Amino acid sequence: MEKFRVLFQHFQSSSESVMNGICLLLAAVTVKLYSSFDFNCPCLARYNALYGLGLLLTPPLALFLCGLLANRQSVVMVEEWRRPVGHRRKDPGIIRYMCSSVLQRALAAPLVWILLALLDGKCFVCAFSSSVDPEKFLDFANMTPSQVQLFLAKVPCKEDELVRDSPARKAVSRYLRCLSQAIGWSITLLLIILAFLGRCLRPCFDQTVFLQRRYWSNYVDLEQKLFDETCCEHARDFAHRCVLHFFANMQSEMRARGLRRDTADRDPEPPVTPGPQDGLDGGGSGKAHLRAVCSREQVDRLLSTWYSSKPPLDLLASPGIWGGRGGLNHRALTVAPGTGLSQHTDV
Amino acid sequence: MDKFRMIFQFLQSNQESFMNGICGIMALASAQMYSAFDFNCPCLPGYNAAYSAGILLAPPLVLFLLGLVMNNNVSMLAEEWKRPPGRRAKDPAVLRYMFCSMAQRALIAPVVWVAVTLLDGKCFLCAFCTAVPVTVLGNGSLAPGLSPPELARLLARVPCPDIYDGDWLLAREVAVRYLRCISQALGWSFVLLTTLLAFVVRSVRPCFTQAAFLKSKYWSHYIDIERKLFDETCTEHAKAFAKVCIQQFFEAMNHDLELGHTHGALATAPAGSAAPAPPEGAEEEREKLRGITDQGAVNRLLTSWHKCKPPLRLGQEEPPVGNGWAGGGPRPPRKEVAAYFSRV
């Protein structure tokens, strides 16, 4: 249990770790999907190549799109790309960085599928059995070309009566599997070398620019999450006060109608002035959450302005439309770095 | 239990991963249901297609409706749709957003069912076994000798290995491989198409309606949270009502009993004992009632909540400190934020 807890905490520690976690999960799902998929080569002349290549390429494409879908940062990137400039200029370098990080993570699951398919060999055998050169194998010497083609098309199907227990079939199958595995391992080696070189050589080029871009892309992601969180808190407080107002209004309405005269003797309490402070744990904190945004029009205006004109990345600038920076600074100071990013429930 | 709690906590850590978690669970449940289902092709010419079409289409419909029904927010959507406008205008964009997000989540299980059915191939095999091109795959010269109904009857038995008797015309394995290959190709194409559609919808949306989307998202969260808070407040009120009602009943009984006793023996009882002091905490309970203290008033309150929701305008209680960022005391600990994460 301890190691699960440590693992989960590690993956939640930053948005990059969360994305890595999702990427690994998708790779594991791919392995399971491949092993549970029932491969079924048609063993017919034209269909083999279509089926084999289709199975080698279509699921990776679908998995790539799934990887993009499951990654929150792809949406954040498109939002950052399409937002109006407003007070905050756009840096194409950040968008490129986010794009490349999203693409790298989304490519993991498709590559796992392709490598599994190649190392397993069934796809390759199915796709290329008809394209094998019969001259390489002595067993085909005394068969007509059409017979050879028919035979080769049935090579992937071990149980077919034409090719059952045939040494020629086994020879072709072994040859193709060997080729498939060689290609699979070569691709694996190439990818690992590329990843290694990419990792080692990157500090040689533009390290400072890279660090800046990584910082700001993380920032954009976190800012979006915090904005959503703040909107949720605001909605909660808005709703709370709305409901309390409603109860208080009903009470005053009924008092106005004189409907409490029969209960006034039984409830000798002083008339409660309908105050929005009722029920809130600390009026100051409630007001702080609402931040003077208390009507539908104000909320709509806030959200439109957030979209069309994000505030500049300058916490000490003179107060403009967004008022004092003190609030932001204050929040930044009171939120401890480790806890601000995760949203553990403090029940 | 600890493991589940941690997994749940991880999935809940942000809205996005929670939604992904729910999607994953529904997909798994659908796949599991399919593997537990015992497919049983009738192998009769007229019935094959009907059975297969039924298996391909009826469970997805059921799963879709189940997905909608199990989503608590369906009733919220219906309520918001049918309520009288009262003092609060209705926004069709919010309704559309709520419906779209619920429909998207409810579509996952049906899509997975259809994909798994096609990738498995039994359903397709059962439906199209009579349409196999015998002339190409089998002994084409013998096919014209059979009348179409005979041929159909023969081919309809392809999915059932124990009763198939047409090996002289068409090897069963060849037909099965052929149909399963087409079925799997269709299945993967379907999967690709659905993921492409989902990707396009998700990625292209920020290009067009981002501002409207932010508003709809906020207000749909708000409606969800408001409904939950109202229910909570009503429950508190009902509890306080019940407590006070019962206390008053006991007090009244007590009073009656004492009156009965004083009529008899204790005629010189001090006046103070006639009306015992209410227990501590009774004052708190009465405050929780917020002045709504009889059945008629409660009914009126609930009717008014439905017919005429209050406007979305709280009014300024006091002028904002400085410039709107009321940064009063330290930020309070977030006690209940996660509990009110809307599931829309």
Side-chain angles (χ1 to χ4, degrees):
Chain A
M1 275 307 107
E2 253 330 288
K3 69 175 177 219
F4 276 128
R5 193 194 313 274
V6 166
L7 208 65
F8 280 151
Q9 265 172 359
H10 167 75
F11 277 127
Q12 277 178 304
S13 58
S14 78
S15 61
E16 282 216 357
S17 306
V18 168
M19 289 192 301
N20 286 345
I22 292 180
C23 175
L24 278 176
L25 201 66
L26 209 59
V29 163
T30 308
V31 172
K32 181 84 180 99
L33 204 65
Y34 184 82
S35 61
S36 59
F37 179 69
D38 191 12
F39 190 84
N40 178 58
C41 193
C43 294
L44 297 164
R46 281 186 315 277
Y47 291 73
N48 275 4
L50 278 174
Y51 184 83
L53 288 176
L55 211 61
L56 196 60
L57 300 174
T58 314
L61 200 55
L63 287 167
F64 176 69
L65 293 172
C66 277
L68 289 177
L69 277 172
N71 195 345
R72 207 182 145 271
Q73 224 188 27
S74 55
V75 179
V76 171
M77 176 194 77
V78 176
E79 277 172 13
E80 174 68 14
W81 181 36
R82 300 301 297 173
R83 71 171 169 91
V85 177
H87 291 281
R88 185 190 290 184
R89 58 184 175 76
K90 288 205 274 197
D91 184 357
I94 296 178
I95 298 172
R96 274 198 306 269
Y97 176 86
M98 287 169 75
C99 189
S100 84
S101 103
V102 159
L103 284 177
Q104 277 170 26
R105 287 191 174 84
L107 277 173
L111 285 173
V112 167
W113 177 281
I114 290 176
L115 289 174
L116 273 179
L118 285 174
L119 293 176
D120 189 26
K122 291 197 288 248
C123 267
F124 200 85
V125 171
C126 185
F128 294 105
S129 67
S130 306
S131 333
V132 162
D133 182 11
E135 308 291 318
K136 286 198 170 68
F137 304 91
L138 298 170
D139 315 78
F140 296 124
N142 44 0
M143 286 164 83
T144 63
S146 61
Q147 275 179 335
V148 166
Q149 279 309 308
L150 192 64
F151 188 92
L152 286 176
K154 297 221 185 254
V155 157
C157 300
K158 289 200 249 270
E159 298 307 317
D160 193 270
E161 52 193 7
L162 186 66
V163 297
R164 199 179 301 166
D165 296 327
S166 160
R169 184 204 73 82
K170 288 186 193 155
V172 174
S173 176
R174 266 201 309 270
Y175 168 73
L176 287 170
R177 275 198 80 194
C178 145
L179 211 56
S180 167
Q181 285 177 350
I183 294 178
W185 282 117
S186 312
I187 293 182
T188 313
L189 190 63
L190 194 68
L191 285 173
I192 291 186
I193 288 179
L194 276 176
F196 174 74
L197 284 176
R199 259 275 159 101
C200 293
L201 295 182
R202 192 182 49 213
C204 304
F205 304 98
D206 273 345
Q207 179 67 353
T208 49
V209 171
F210 167 74
L211 286 175
Q212 283 169 6
R213 288 181 182 165
R214 191 168 69 172
Y215 177 89
W216 287 115
S217 67
N218 217 14
Y219 172 84
V220 166
D221 189 23
L222 287 170
E223 192 190 49
Q224 184 60 33
K225 256 199 278 211
L226 279 172
F227 182 75
D228 288 339
E229 209 184 283
T230 312
C231 278
C232 273
E233 280 179 24
H234 186 272
R236 182 184 162 264
D237 285 312
F238 201 120
H240 199 178
R241 291 160 84 97
C242 212
V243 168
L244 292 176
H245 264 215
F246 178 75
F247 272 83
N249 282 345
M250 289 293 328
Q251 186 185 348
S252 56
E253 206 179 284
M254 285 183 321
R255 209 182 297 130
R257 288 191 200 170
L259 290 168
R260 289 188 72 231
R261 57 179 182 276
D262 48 336
T263 58
D265 304 333
R266 266 197 292 162
D267 288 339
E269 62 195 84
V272 178
T273 47
Q277 285 85 350
D278 293 3
L280 283 175
D281 36 356
S285 62
K287 285 194 200 68
H289 281 178
L290 273 181
R291 297 168 220 279
V293 181
C294 309
S295 76
R296 176 182 236 160
E297 291 75 23
Q298 287 172 346
V299 171
D300 285 346
R301 197 152 25 107
L302 182 144
L303 294 170
S304 301
T305 316
W306 177 259
Y307 168 68
S308 60
S309 164
K310 280 202 169 57
L313 293 168
D314 189 345
L315 297 180
L316 297 175
S318 59
I321 188 171
W322 287 104
R325 295 283 165 234
L328 251 180
N329 254 338
H330 183 73
R331 271 176 78 103
L333 287 173
T334 51
V335 173
T339 58
L341 307 178
S342 64
Q343 298 187 27
H344 288 289
T345 61
D346 286 317
V347 182
Chain B
M1 268 342 281
D2 207 27
K3 188 161 62 165
F4 283 125
R5 195 166 53 84
M6 269 193 317
I7 293 176
F8 202 58
Q9 217 174 28
F10 174 70
L11 289 177
Q12 260 191 325
S13 66
N14 66 344
Q15 186 87 338
E16 208 45 42
S17 66
F18 181 83
M19 285 308 132
N20 285 348
I22 295 276
C23 295
I25 289 173
M26 284 174 69
L28 274 176
S30 187
Q32 191 60 29
M33 253 176 69
Y34 181 82
S35 60
F37 175 70
D38 190 17
F39 190 84
N40 185 47
C41 191
C43 293
L44 296 165
Y47 294 76
N48 276 5
Y51 182 81
S52 312
I55 295 292
L56 191 64
L57 300 174
L61 196 60
V62 167
L63 287 169
F64 177 69
L65 293 173
L66 206 67
L68 282 182
V69 159
M70 291 204 315
N71 193 339
N72 291 333
N73 292 319
V74 162
S75 59
M76 176 181 79
L77 171 65
E79 225 176 87
E80 178 64 15
W81 184 31
K82 295 310 270 178
R83 72 170 169 92
R87 293 156 73 196
R88 186 189 290 185
K90 288 205 274 198
D91 188 356
V94 172
L95 292 170
R96 272 198 307 268
Y97 171 85
M98 294 197 315
F99 179 71
C100 282
S101 69
M102 278 190 271
Q104 277 169 21
R105 217 157 304 138
L107 275 174
I108 292 163
V111 161
V112 168
W113 176 278
V114 170
V116 170
T117 307
L118 287 174
L119 290 176
D120 187 34
K122 290 198 286 257
C123 198
F124 195 86
L125 174 65
C126 188
F128 290 99
C129 52
T130 47
V132 166
V134 179
T135 44
V136 173
L137 296 177
N139 294 329
S141 48
L142 298 172
L146 287 171
S147 61
E150 260 304 303
L151 190 64
R153 195 193 57 81
L154 195 74
L155 289 176
R157 293 187 179 169
V158 163
C160 303
D162 9 334
I163 58 171
Y164 183 64
D165 53 357
D167 274 317
W168 51 275
L169 181 64
L170 174 65
R172 185 183 169 269
E173 294 305 322
V174 172
V176 166
R177 273 201 305 263
Y178 175 77
L179 288 170
R180 280 193 79 195
C181 149
I182 295 184
S183 173
Q184 283 177 349
L186 278 176
W188 279 117
S189 312
F190 177 74
V191 166
L192 187 63
L193 209 65
T194 347
T195 37
L196 193 64
L197 202 66
F199 172 72
V200 161
V201 163
R202 203 170 127 123
S203 308
V204 162
R205 199 242 319 129
C207 301
F208 293 108
T209 52
Q210 181 68 353
F213 172 76
L214 284 176
K215 277 188 226 169
S216 307
K217 194 162 78 157
Y218 179 90
W219 289 116
S220 70
H221 280 171
Y222 173 83
I223 291 171
D224 186 26
I225 291 173
E226 190 190 49
R227 189 179 68 139
K228 286 194 185 107
L229 277 171
F230 183 75
D231 288 342
E232 209 184 87
T233 315
C234 282
T235 311
E236 263 180 42
H237 187 272
K239 224 171 19 176
F241 202 120
K243 268 196 189 155
V244 172
C245 211
I246 292 173
Q247 270 165 12
Q248 286 176 348
F249 175 73
F250 272 88
E251 280 167 23
M253 289 297 328
N254 208 1
H255 188 61
D256 284 346
L257 285 171
E258 280 187 357
L259 276 182
H261 279 175
T262 51
H263 269 270
L266 303 164
T268 54
S273 66
E280 301 169 2
E283 286 313 308
E284 265 176 50
E285 300 296 334
R286 291 209 163 88
E287 266 175 32
K288 280 192 195 163
L289 288 176
R290 305 176 211 277
I292 317 277
T293 47
D294 65 271
Q295 186 179 20
V298 171
N299 288 343
R300 240 188 319 273
L301 182 140
L302 294 170
T303 313
S304 178
W305 180 257
H306 169 68
K307 285 220 165 85
C308 181
K309 280 207 166 57
L312 293 166
R313 178 182 307 277
L314 294 178
Q316 304 284 339
E317 297 88 39
E318 61 185 65
V321 176
N323 38 29
W325 285 90
R331 205 154 156 258
R334 284 192 255 138
K335 282 204 293 271
E336 298 163 273
V337 171
Y340 291 117
F341 249 139
S342 153
R343 302 288 175 242
V344 177

